[in-house]
Each structure stands twice: as structure tokens, then as C-alpha cells.
Amino acid sequence: MAPTRVGGLGSECRYPMQTAVGLQLYPSLMDQVDKALAEHRRAEQRLQATRDTLHEAIRAALGHGEKQVELVRRTGYSREYIRRIAREMPLVKHGA
């Protein structure tokens, strides 16, 4: 692709979206970036909420006597990670 001349300044740009003052994307493209970033952040928040729910369920299962090895098998988490989850908050004890 041949360089594009910009506004008679003698600057040559390799890419159509590049201007003589640097890389500046069209506002509509930046709007797309902002929209995608906002959606990504919402997804991260949803992930954190579901992770918290899962960790609470793991702690409750441990508090009710479920074996760590079974939680490792079901979740795919390592034994150490299950232990870390258990230490995050007090266990929910059966009958409490």
C-alpha cells in the first residue's frame, strides 16, 4: 500500500487512519473501544460475583464435612487453592 499524503504537510502515513500528528483513530472506533472495555469490565464483575458464590458453596461443603479431594475433583481446583478458599472466611458449620 502506497503512503498517503496528509494535508500538504509533507508527512507520509503508512496507514489511512494515521495523521500527521500521530496515531489517532476515528472517534467512532474509539467509541467501539470504550463500549468493548465497558462490556469487558461488566463481565469481570459478573465473574467475580459467580466466583464469590462458588467459594461460599465450597466453604459450606467443607463445613458440612465434604472431603477436599471431592471438591478438587468436581472443581478442577488444586488442593492448595481449595485450602486458600477455606481460609478466606470462616467455614459454615453444620447446624450453625
Side-chain angles (χ1 to χ4, degrees):
M1 178 164 120
T4 304
R5 281 214 170 296
V6 176
L9 298 175
S11 299
E12 293 185 349
C13 300
R14 292 182 189 270
Y15 306 102
M17 286 185 263
Q18 187 176 4
T19 67
V21 294
L23 290 175
Q24 295 181 350
L25 299 178
Y26 294 115
S28 63
L29 294 177
M30 291 308 291
D31 290 344
Q32 291 175 11
V33 169
D34 291 341
K35 185 178 177 181
L37 179 61
E39 177 57 32
H40 179 73
R41 287 183 176 154
R42 284 190 298 272
E44 285 179 328
Q45 290 170 346
R46 288 190 304 267
L47 174 62
Q48 185 59 49
T50 58
R51 183 181 295 129
D52 291 346
T53 301
L54 174 58
H55 290 190
E56 288 171 15
I58 288 170
R59 285 189 294 275
L62 289 169
H64 285 104
E66 290 296 331
K67 301 290 183 192
Q68 188 182 76
V69 68
E70 180 61 16
L71 290 166
V72 167
R73 187 186 70 74
R74 286 182 185 232
T75 64
Y77 290 165
S78 69
R79 289 180 299 160
E80 178 54 35
Y81 193 60
I82 295 290
R83 283 191 290 271
R84 242 187 297 160
I85 291 168
R87 287 190 302 262
E88 287 175 4
M89 295 177 68
L91 293 175
V92 178
K93 294 292 182 183
H94 182 64

